[in-house]
Amino acid sequence: MNFERKMRKLWNTDFLASGIPLLLGGTLGLLVAFLIIRGAWVIALGILCIVPAGMLINHYPLVAIIVWFVAMPFLPYETVSSRVFWLVHRALIPLAMGLAVLARALRIKKYRPVKMGWAELSMVMYLVVAGVSVLLTRGDPLLYLYELYDRMFVPFTAYWLIRILRPGEQDMERFVLPMLFVCIAEILIGFWARYIPQTLPAIWDISRMGTRMSGTFTNPTPYAYTLALCMLFIFQEAMNRKSGIVRWSLILVFSLGLFCIFLTFTRGCWLAATPVLLGLLILYPRTMFALLMTTIVVGGILSTTILADEVQFALERLVVQETVDSRIVLAHAGRQMFYAKPFLGWGFGNYDRYDWKFMERVGNAAPTDWDISKGTSHNTYLTILAETGIVGFFLQFFPVVWWLRWTIKVFPRLPREGFWSRRLLVMIWLSVVFYLIATQIIGARFFWYSIGTWWFSLGLVANMVQAYLRPEDFGLPNWVRLWLVNFAPNTITDGFSR
């Protein structure tokens, strides 16, 4: 027994704590020296930065999600080096998750227990199904395996990292400051890009949809969703602050975010914002009623003066028909693709490869040359059904249903007041709902940041819900127990009785 204890101590304190760092340090030192001799100073500097970054991530793995959350919106794929994209998107969160799993497996750190279940299994099964479909339907699968990694695996790891680390109230509050930074920056850059785009730095010189507000994004919808997620956390923080300049400043940021969502002039974003506002009105009726009344009065005055053009354009967007006809044709093609292969679909990443074959006249809407040559899905859910069928759709969205069920179960157990409360849980769900509604009018597969933040949000839901689950919640339903007690008492075991 003493020998076993000594060997465990030798492994944990000497080898893991000292041996591995020395080995890695020596290897990196030789590599850096070699790169300096070859004149590759930039790469050598990057490797030197890996060491402190790795130490920080190892000490506080959640920093990986925070850095990813703050950096990714301001690094457009079109203008940023692929090396930066590899580091920030492809490596950061998976590396943090790998370190967290290793630390838990080797018991280097003490983590609160976590129960991985059916929701996590369905995500793993989705990756398997999608990966196999790529291998079977593509002669050159590597590019599409990369797409699967970027579009689904990295967002899944954000969810899994939250599940593994189980952040508490203090950790959740730490997310507010990064979200406040992203929200304010996107508001400012949104106005900048809308009114004086010619002065933007080269990194944000990207294609945008006319004058519709989109900040550092190429499309208004991921911009609006990013704002909505940040605004909900900001508003929750404001409501748990004492009345003063900080609280009213946070409410002002929230109000400006709402105005920017209006300036996206995107009907799907306006529709998605409706349940968010209704939810906030139920959670904080007095504050929201006063805020909405103020917005209506001020907006009514400005709509006839400096905002007259914006209001006129908004009214035009409500009745515009050209884009509606195109979406009808494209949505019909997506449905026909699904009907043709309803179970496993046409293969992950294959939507644009086959959709043109299913484009045809629908009523008065006829496909244009643009629809056939460049048109793509404008509905995230039709895309998933067409590419991976019912099986892929079920596996991907099963975690949403799973955690909604347990949310309803544990909701009465959560605190009524405070930052960490049932109100925060509802707000996170409101951000999930915003995404689910808004992505019905775009193909979310092009916006990996939005997919990642959505799975991050679902991970936060799972984290809060799990904190209030009880062992008996996973036992037999009460009606089954009652039936067994009355008609088959000998089948009741200690595991099911209390």
Side-chain angles (χ1 to χ4, degrees):
M1 191 71 177
N2 291 333
F3 175 76
E4 183 181 351
R5 190 179 297 113
K6 288 180 180 179
M7 291 302 296
R8 188 182 298 114
K9 180 181 179 183
L10 179 66
W11 173 265
N12 290 332
T13 61
D14 294 337
F15 181 70
L16 292 178
S18 302
I20 290 181
L22 285 173
L23 179 62
L24 292 176
T27 304
L28 289 175
L30 291 174
L31 179 59
V32 169
F34 173 76
L35 291 171
I36 291 175
I37 294 173
R38 296 292 299 270
W41 290 92
V42 176
I43 300 177
L45 181 62
I47 292 176
L48 288 175
C49 293
I50 290 175
V51 177
M55 292 174 63
L56 179 60
I57 291 174
N58 183 58
H59 176 69
Y60 188 65
L62 281 175
V63 76
I65 290 182
I66 294 174
V67 172
W68 178 87
F69 186 89
V70 170
M72 276 297 290
F74 307 106
L75 301 173
Y77 185 74
E78 298 89 338
T79 59
V80 174
S81 168
S82 60
R83 294 176 181 175
V84 175
F85 182 76
W86 264 91
L87 178 64
V88 177
H89 182 71
R90 288 179 173 162
L92 195 58
I93 298 179
L95 173 63
M97 191 190 74
L99 290 174
V101 170
L102 187 63
R104 180 182 282 272
L106 298 176
R107 299 180 181 178
I108 297 174
K109 290 185 177 181
K110 290 184 178 180
Y111 291 111
R112 288 186 291 171
V114 59
K115 181 180 176 60
M116 296 293 185
W118 291 106
E120 292 72 30
L121 178 61
S122 73
M123 297 163 69
V124 174
M125 292 176 63
Y126 175 84
L127 290 175
V128 173
V129 169
V132 171
S133 75
V134 170
L135 295 175
L136 294 178
T137 60
R138 286 286 181 174
D140 51 344
L142 184 60
L143 178 63
Y144 299 92
L145 290 175
Y146 272 129
E147 183 179 348
L148 176 62
Y149 181 93
D150 292 329
R151 193 206 300 183
M152 300 308 305
F153 179 76
V154 173
F156 283 0
T157 55
Y159 168 96
W160 291 330
L161 184 58
I162 292 293
R163 297 283 287 119
I164 292 169
L165 299 178
R166 296 199 60 188
E169 181 174 2
Q170 187 176 10
D171 296 307
M172 296 280 277
E173 289 181 338
R174 287 183 180 137
F175 290 135
V176 175
L177 187 58
M179 289 183 173
L180 180 63
F181 171 81
V182 171
C183 190
I184 293 175
E186 287 294 346
I187 289 172
L188 294 176
I189 297 171
F191 282 108
W192 190 359
R194 174 176 168 79
Y195 293 106
I196 44 175
Q198 65 277 8
T199 63
L200 283 170
I203 191 174
W204 297 324
D205 185 14
I206 56 179
S207 60
R208 292 182 174 85
M209 301 178 69
T211 58
R212 293 160 67 182
M213 189 81 87
S214 60
T216 58
F217 297 86
T218 57
N219 188 288
T221 300
Y223 172 76
Y225 167 64
T226 302
L227 286 180
L229 174 61
C230 296
M231 288 159 49
L232 285 164
F233 269 79
I234 291 168
F235 194 80
Q236 175 68 357
E237 176 69 13
M239 293 299 97
N240 286 277
R241 291 264 184 171
K242 293 182 179 179
S243 183
I245 187 170
V246 174
R247 178 175 185 173
W248 289 109
S249 297
L250 294 175
I251 293 176
L252 176 61
V253 173
F254 174 85
S255 303
L256 289 173
L258 278 180
F259 182 54
C260 289
I261 292 177
F262 166 75
L263 291 179
T264 61
F265 300 113
T266 304
R267 287 164 290 195
C269 296
W270 295 344
L271 180 63
T274 302
V276 172
L277 292 176
L278 290 176
L280 292 178
L281 190 60
I282 295 172
L283 293 175
Y284 296 103
R286 293 180 58 186
T287 302
M288 281 302 299
F289 182 77
L291 184 60
L292 290 175
M293 289 298 100
T294 303
T295 301
I296 291 172
V297 172
V298 174
I301 297 173
L302 295 179
S303 65
T304 59
T305 54
I306 61 176
L307 294 181
D309 292 340
E310 283 77 4
V311 172
Q312 179 62 32
F313 185 62
L315 294 174
E316 292 174 2
R317 286 287 303 159
L318 284 173
V319 298
V320 66
Q321 187 64 27
E322 289 80 3
T323 57
V324 173
D325 290 342
S326 177
R327 289 173 187 269
I328 290 174
V329 170
L330 297 174
H332 175 76
R335 287 194 295 271
Q336 296 305 310
M337 288 179 68
F338 167 62
Y339 296 152
K341 293 188 176 183
F343 295 105
L344 295 174
W346 294 81
F348 183 88
N350 281 337
Y351 188 93
D352 293 335
R353 187 181 183 185
Y354 298 106
D355 65 336
W356 61 274
K357 295 182 179 181
F358 296 89
M359 291 184 189
E360 58 187 6
R361 175 180 287 274
V362 183
N364 295 326
T368 64
D369 292 338
W370 185 92
D371 292 332
I372 296 173
S373 60
K374 297 182 179 180
T376 186
S377 172
H378 286 279
N379 187 302
T380 298
Y381 312 104
L382 281 178
T383 303
I384 297 170
L385 287 168
E387 289 189 349
T388 54
I390 294 175
V391 173
F393 187 90
F394 172 81
L395 293 175
Q396 188 172 157
F397 288 100
F398 175 77
V400 182
V401 180
W402 177 264
W403 290 118
L404 179 60
R405 173 206 174 190
W406 290 116
T407 295
I408 297 171
K409 178 77 174 181
V410 306
F411 190 77
R413 304 172 188 170
L414 271 72
R416 292 179 176 271
E417 304 294 336
F419 182 83
W420 176 288
S421 63
R422 57 181 64 175
R423 287 174 171 172
L424 176 62
L425 182 58
V426 171
M427 286 193 172
I428 301 174
W429 270 114
L430 289 176
S431 73
V432 171
V433 170
F434 188 103
Y435 176 92
L436 292 175
I437 295 175
T439 51
Q440 292 190 55
I441 51 93
I442 66 164
R445 71 188 192 276
F446 301 113
F447 308 105
W448 300 331
Y449 179 74
S450 297
I451 300 174
T453 52
W454 186 74
W455 281 100
F456 159 73
S457 300
L458 194 62
L460 294 179
V461 168
N463 177 58
M464 290 191 70
V465 169
Q466 182 176 332
Y468 296 92
L469 286 174
R470 299 168 182 168
E472 60 267 26
D473 293 331
F474 299 95
L476 291 174
N478 290 332
W479 67 272
V480 175
R481 280 204 206 96
L482 184 62
W483 185 88
L484 290 173
V485 168
N486 292 329
F487 299 99
N490 293 332
T491 63
I492 299 292
T493 65
D494 292 337
F496 294 138
S497 63
R498 288 184 58 80

